[in-house]
């Protein structure tokens, strides 16, 4: 394009996109970080065509949805099973007092669609585990704003498992944001290519725990009294009632029990909200941390979709950005390396052709002979079934009957079988292919 | 995005990932527990029991100490492992009501690696060794059952007698215990 042809677009003249005037101006010409074959028309088209999945509509989710909508993304899905609590309102700015008790995903989607016409957000009030691979396959990028490690691990394993060499669209970049107080991180994962959530599991700080005996005998802090009521006293006195941390009556009971104990030991400071915080493991969320991390996540997604600038993990190897705002403002970006023995992406399942008429015993024997495995005492299972365990003894007895059974009876074509053996540090995973 | 895919194709080695499948995959927690179970060394004093052999995340461990104060007792522990394992420790409880300084009347166990000192590098074997150790060396420094801890600290003979009578199904200071003798 000639400079004079660019001019009207740069001024925003004659454009029907005044809202995106400045963004279009940046995208409509090549720059120092763009590829040689950068086509100024592509980025805007890519943004319009991209389907983004946002997981979580909480502190990070509100920011992420707003950022995407205001960057011109038009097709967004959001998943959150949670409802709005009054304590969310200080930072989850898509929610109002009247929304308390309603679904986060729906309220957030409606709010953003109202403010940014033309942006379509589908809200799903469910767990991510309720959706199948067909559902996840439709997206260009998956962005997580979650507070749960379990959900992250599930999403990660699902995306790693979806990668199919026959289908370029099966590789879904996963962008993960996380915050805890003044600290946060954003990371970009190309499933099977770069270090995944499971490789990086040790980056999550463990939940600080107090020894049980301290709770039981010599509490020193108000939190100890609450944990005591929560972990010990509840089971003693209300064994038959399942503790529901969202039930005000349950929290009140814990609060009063903790308060009585605190008085007995001369400890001050037990309050209802502290009780709620300790029991639900609430770490104070900071609005600015969420905003910074969400901005970073959306920025990465924007760069990946538009190819307008290098993003985390490409072309440099650095894929993890950490942020600390509790003593000054500090960020550090580094490469978290892929782990060869990562249980999710380290050793991907290999196809294993088997005859459905052969027995499990024959398969176990063949494992003993396979050059790469030579397994002597294998334990093997599918997600659903324990097939055969050499150890411990009780499971061996319970499963040895399976050795005589035909593979066709116990497995379905394409099912994954995981095999472990004490002689090997890694596990072997196979995808059964009936032949 | 196309660029990423061409990199992926380059990275792909002949033997790597096979085609996709809609079948459920063995979870990371299951994989780790399977590995831990394959490496378990139970010896003669311990046995496992899986009420549902397909569910390896929930089982019981039976401990029958062959020495120490708790010799000839039969103690059962339930193990409940979440999908967050090994990020989170297994939840372990004693099924019987027993007289032990580090185990309360509800079956909660005070073992550092089950709570504050748990690390993902620890495995089920470490937990089991820890439980075994509690019966060989009950310790009065980390009391969950304060009465039992006081007894142990003040008068080891009285503690020994109390252990024996509690294990026989008797009561100690008005508190009755489950019979756990072989």
């Amino acid at each position: 394009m000639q400079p004079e042809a660019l001019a009207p677009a740069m001024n925003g003249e004659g454009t029907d996109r005044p809202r995106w005037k400045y963004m279009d101006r940046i995208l409509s010409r090549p720059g120092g970080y763009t590829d040689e074959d950068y086509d100024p028309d592509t980025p805007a088209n890519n943004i319009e065509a991209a389907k983004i999945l946002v997981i979580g509509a909480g502190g990070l989710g509100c920011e992420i949805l707003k950022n995407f909508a205001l960057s011109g993304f038009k097709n967004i899905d959001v998943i959150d099973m949670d409802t709005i609590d009054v304590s969310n309102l200080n930072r989850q700015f898509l929610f109002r007092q009247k929304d308390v008790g309603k679904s986060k995903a729906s309220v957030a989607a409606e709010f953003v669609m109202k403010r940014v016409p033309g942006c379509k957000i589908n809200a799903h009030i469910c767990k991510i585990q309720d959706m199948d691979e067909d559902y996840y396959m439709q997206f260009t990028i998956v962005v997580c704003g979650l507070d749960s490690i379990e959900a992250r691990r599930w999403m990660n394993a699902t995306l790693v498992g979806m990668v199919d060499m026959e289908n370029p669209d099966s590789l879904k970049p996963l962008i993960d944001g996380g915050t805890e107080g003044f600290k946060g991180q954003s990371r970009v994962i190309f499933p099977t290519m770069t270090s995944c959530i499971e490789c990086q599991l040790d980056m999550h700080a463990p939940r600080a725990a107090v020894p049980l005996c301290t709770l039981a005998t010599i509490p020193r802090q108000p939190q100890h009294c609450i944990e005591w009521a929560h972990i010990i006293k509840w089971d003693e006195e209300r064994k038959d009632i399942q503790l529901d941390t969202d039930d005000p009556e349950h929290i009140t009971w814990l609060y009063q029990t903790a308060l009585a104990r605190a008085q007995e030991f001369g400890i001050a400071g037990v309050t209802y909200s502290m009780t709620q915080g300790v029991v639900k493991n609430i770490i104070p969320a900071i609005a600015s941390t969420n905003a910074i991390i969400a901005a970073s996540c959306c920025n990465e997604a924007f760069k990946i979709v538009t190819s307008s600038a290098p993003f985390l993990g490409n072309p440099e190897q650095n894929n993890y950005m950490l942020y600390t705002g509790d003593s000054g403002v500090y960020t550090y970006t580094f490469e978290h390396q892929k782990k060869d023995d990562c249980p999710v992406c380290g050793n991907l399942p290999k196809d294993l052709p088997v005859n459905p008429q052969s027995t499990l015993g024959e398969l176990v024997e063949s494992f003993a002979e396979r050059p790469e495995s030579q397994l002597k005492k294998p334990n093997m299972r599918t997600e659903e079934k324990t097939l055969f365990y050499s150890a411990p003894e009780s499971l061996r007895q319970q499963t040895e009957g399976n050795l005589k059974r035909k593979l066709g009876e116990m497995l379905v074509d394409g099912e994954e079988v995981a095999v472990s053996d004490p002689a090997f540090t890694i596990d072997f995973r196979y995808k059964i292919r009936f032949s | 995005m196309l660029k990423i895919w061409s990199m992926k194709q380059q990275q792909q080695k002949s033997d790597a990932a096979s085609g996709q499948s809609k079948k459920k995959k063995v979870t990371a927690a299951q994989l780790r527990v399977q590995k831990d179970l394959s490496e378990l060394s139970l010896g003669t004093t311990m046995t496992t029991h899986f009420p549902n052999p397909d569910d390896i995340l929930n089982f019981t461990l039976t401990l029958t100490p062959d020495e120490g104060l708790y010799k000839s007792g039969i103690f059962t522990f339930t193990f409940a492992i979440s999908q967050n394992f090994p990020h989170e420790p297994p939840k372990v409880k004693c099924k019987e009501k027993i007289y032990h300084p580090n185990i309360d009347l509800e079956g909660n166990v005070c073992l550092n690696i089950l709570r504050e000192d748990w690390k993902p590098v620890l495995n089920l074997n470490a937990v089991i060794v820890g439980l075994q150790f509690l019966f060989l060396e009950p310790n009065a420094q980390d009391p969950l059952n304060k009465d039992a801890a006081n007894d142990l600290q003040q008068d080891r003979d009285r503690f020994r007698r109390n252990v024996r009578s509690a294990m026989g199904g008797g009561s100690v200071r008005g508190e009755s215990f489950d019979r756990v003798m072989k």
Side-chain angles (χ1 to χ4, degrees):
Chain A
M1 235 195 248
Q2 295 301 308
E4 53 268 33
L6 270 173
M10 287 173 65
N11 297 332
E13 277 167 30
T15 170
D16 52 355
R17 295 164 45 91
R19 182 167 232 155
W20 291 286
K21 181 175 132 187
Y22 299 106
M23 193 185 77
D24 287 348
R25 188 175 297 175
I26 291 168
L27 288 177
S28 58
R29 51 189 173 168
Y33 294 105
T34 53
D35 292 331
E36 275 174 34
D37 51 358
Y38 186 79
D39 172 5
D41 288 332
T42 317
N45 292 341
N46 281 359
I47 288 178
E48 292 225 356
K51 267 199 97 154
I52 306 284
L53 174 61
V54 176
I55 301 177
L60 277 170
C62 282
E63 294 275 357
I64 290 170
L65 287 170
K66 174 259 292 172
N67 291 351
F68 275 132
L70 291 176
S71 306
F73 288 87
K74 291 191 152 56
N75 291 301
I76 304 171
D77 270 34
V78 58
I79 306 182
D80 199 313
M81 60 182 294
D82 225 0
T83 52
I84 298 162
D85 187 83
V86 69
S87 65
N88 301 145
L89 300 181
N90 71 330
R91 64 193 184 285
Q92 299 178 20
F93 51 83
L94 302 175
F95 311 141
R96 297 289 175 268
Q97 186 103 44
K98 65 174 168 47
D99 300 323
V100 169
K102 292 186 199 161
S103 143
K104 287 188 174 179
S106 316
V107 175
E110 270 167 42
F111 192 109
V112 174
M113 283 196 286
K114 207 168 142 195
R115 287 288 291 268
V116 188
C119 177
K120 176 89 185 82
I121 303 182
N122 293 313
H124 301 276
I125 310 160
C126 62
K127 299 189 349 185
I128 50 173
Q129 289 87 344
D130 295 339
M131 300 301 207
D132 59 14
E133 289 192 0
D134 284 337
Y135 172 78
Y136 291 111
M137 198 54 95
Q138 62 180 308
F139 297 102
T140 320
I141 287 183
V142 178
V143 185
C144 289
L146 285 163
D147 58 1
S148 137
I149 293 169
E150 194 179 336
R152 280 192 177 92
R153 288 174 77 187
W154 188 89
M155 195 66 250
N156 177 61
T158 301
L159 292 179
V160 169
M162 275 166 57
V163 176
D164 172 7
M165 277 316 287
E166 308 289 307
N167 175 14
D169 289 334
S170 65
L171 182 78
K172 315 280 179 199
L174 170 62
I175 302 177
D176 178 65
T179 68
E180 206 172 274
F182 283 104
K183 296 182 181 130
Q185 99 275 331
S186 73
R187 43 188 168 169
V188 176
I189 290 151
F190 290 96
T192 72
M193 293 181 70
T194 62
S195 154
C196 75
I197 301 268
E198 198 75 23
C199 298
Q200 301 178 9
L201 208 56
D202 52 1
M203 298 299 289
H204 294 276
R207 183 177 173 176
V210 182
L212 215 49
C213 24
T214 303
L215 302 181
T217 50
I218 35 155
R220 298 183 305 274
Q221 293 169 11
Q223 287 86 349
H224 295 169
C225 301
I226 296 166
E227 281 274 41
W228 173 82
H230 176 206
I231 295 171
I232 296 175
K233 214 59 190 170
W234 181 276
D235 276 353
E236 257 176 54
E237 300 199 1
R238 307 185 78 177
K239 212 179 203 105
D240 303 321
I241 306 166
Q242 178 66 38
L243 179 67
D244 176 3
T245 54
D246 288 323
D247 186 333
E249 194 274 326
H250 290 188
I251 297 289
T252 305
W253 187 92
L254 291 175
Y255 163 60
Q256 282 163 353
T257 308
L259 192 64
R261 183 163 177 86
Q263 279 159 358
E264 183 189 332
F265 284 88
I267 298 168
V270 174
T271 61
Y272 183 86
S273 68
M274 180 191 272
T275 308
Q276 220 176 6
V278 169
V279 171
K280 296 177 84 170
N281 192 28
I282 296 173
I283 293 142
I286 312 284
S288 56
T289 313
N290 284 340
I292 289 164
I293 294 302
S296 162
C297 290
C298 295
N299 199 18
E300 293 307 320
F302 182 88
K303 292 185 290 182
I304 293 171
V305 169
T306 60
S307 312
S308 56
F311 41 87
L312 283 180
N314 181 278
E316 301 292 322
Q317 304 297 304
N318 295 344
N319 51 10
Y320 194 118
M321 191 277 288
L322 64 80
Y323 161 78
T324 351
D326 49 1
S327 51
V329 175
Y330 177 71
T331 72
Y332 180 65
T333 306
F334 63 97
E335 180 193 3
H336 197 298
Q337 290 183 345
K338 204 166 180 298
K339 275 190 185 155
D340 290 338
D341 59 351
C342 169
V344 169
C345 77
N347 52 337
L348 296 165
K350 291 171 190 162
D351 278 337
L352 183 68
V354 295
N355 179 353
Q357 294 303 317
S358 63
T359 63
L360 181 66
E362 286 166 335
L363 181 64
V364 169
E365 275 168 38
S366 78
F367 281 144
E369 289 155 13
R370 284 178 79 88
E372 89 267 18
S373 43
Q374 297 189 7
L375 305 174
K376 300 285 186 295
K377 291 184 66 191
N379 280 3
M380 50 198 288
R381 70 170 300 110
T382 65
E383 196 271 335
E384 275 185 343
K385 285 195 206 77
T386 300
L387 297 172
F388 173 69
Y389 272 31
S390 305
E393 178 60 18
S394 69
L395 267 184
R396 194 191 64 76
Q397 288 173 7
Q398 280 174 299
T399 55
E400 66 183 347
N402 288 344
L403 292 173
K404 295 194 199 75
R405 293 177 64 191
K406 291 197 170 73
L407 295 175
E409 294 170 21
M410 289 183 291
L411 301 168
V412 280
D413 193 45
E415 200 165 17
E416 187 185 300
V417 173
V419 187
S420 313
D421 189 287
F424 291 87
T425 52
I426 61 161
D427 303 289
F428 299 91
R429 292 153 74 208
Y430 297 103
K431 218 160 263 178
I432 295 296
R433 298 286 178 206
F434 286 145
S435 54
Chain B
M1 281 302 293
L2 273 175
K3 229 180 200 168
I4 299 292
W5 185 251
S6 60
M7 283 172 57
K8 169 72 191 161
Q9 282 170 321
Q10 281 170 19
Q11 196 194 55
Q12 183 77 9
K13 292 173 214 113
S14 53
D15 64 344
S18 63
Q20 81 183 87
S21 129
K22 299 210 167 19
K23 304 292 175 312
K24 285 187 166 173
K25 289 158 201 74
V26 180
T27 66
Q30 283 178 327
L31 207 56
R32 173 59 192 271
V33 171
Q34 166 166 300
K35 182 81 189 144
D36 282 8
L37 289 175
S38 80
E39 292 170 347
L40 228 49
S41 52
L42 293 173
T44 53
T45 61
M46 288 179 285
T47 52
T48 53
H49 172 65
F50 291 77
N52 170 8
D54 289 332
D55 176 9
I56 51 167
L57 302 184
N58 290 285
F59 61 93
T60 62
L61 173 80
T62 306
L63 238 155
T64 49
D66 57 2
E67 54 181 315
L69 295 172
Y70 290 88
K71 188 177 167 177
S72 309
I74 304 177
F75 306 97
T76 331
F77 290 87
T78 55
F79 279 65
I81 303 170
S82 77
Q83 287 294 348
N84 243 345
F85 184 80
H87 187 71
E88 270 175 16
K91 288 200 166 64
V92 178
K93 273 196 151 191
C94 182
K95 276 174 87 173
E96 294 85 18
K97 183 177 173 188
I98 64 168
Y99 173 83
H100 190 293
N102 312 110
I103 298 174
D104 73 11
L105 303 180
E106 303 300 313
N108 295 308
V109 183
C110 189
L111 183 62
N112 62 338
I113 56 168
L114 284 177
R115 261 179 82 77
E116 70 275 13
D117 290 334
W118 172 258
K119 304 246 173 356
V121 294
L122 294 171
N123 58 16
L124 292 177
N125 214 40
V127 173
I128 287 170
V129 169
L131 291 176
Q132 204 175 14
F133 188 69
L134 281 186
F135 285 101
L136 297 178
E137 291 288 335
N139 100 59
Q141 266 67 57
D142 299 330
L144 261 195
N145 178 340
K146 250 191 285 182
D147 291 337
N150 285 340
D151 291 342
L152 173 61
Q153 206 156 29
Q154 286 161 12
D155 185 346
R156 212 178 152 83
D157 275 337
R158 189 175 67 209
F159 178 74
R160 187 193 306 270
R161 283 195 303 276
N162 287 348
V163 167
R164 295 325 285 187
S165 85
M167 281 170 60
S171 51
V172 177
R173 246 181 253 102
E175 194 72 65
S176 64
F177 291 89
D178 288 344
R179 185 184 154 81
V180 291
M181 295 297 282
K182 247 187 230 179

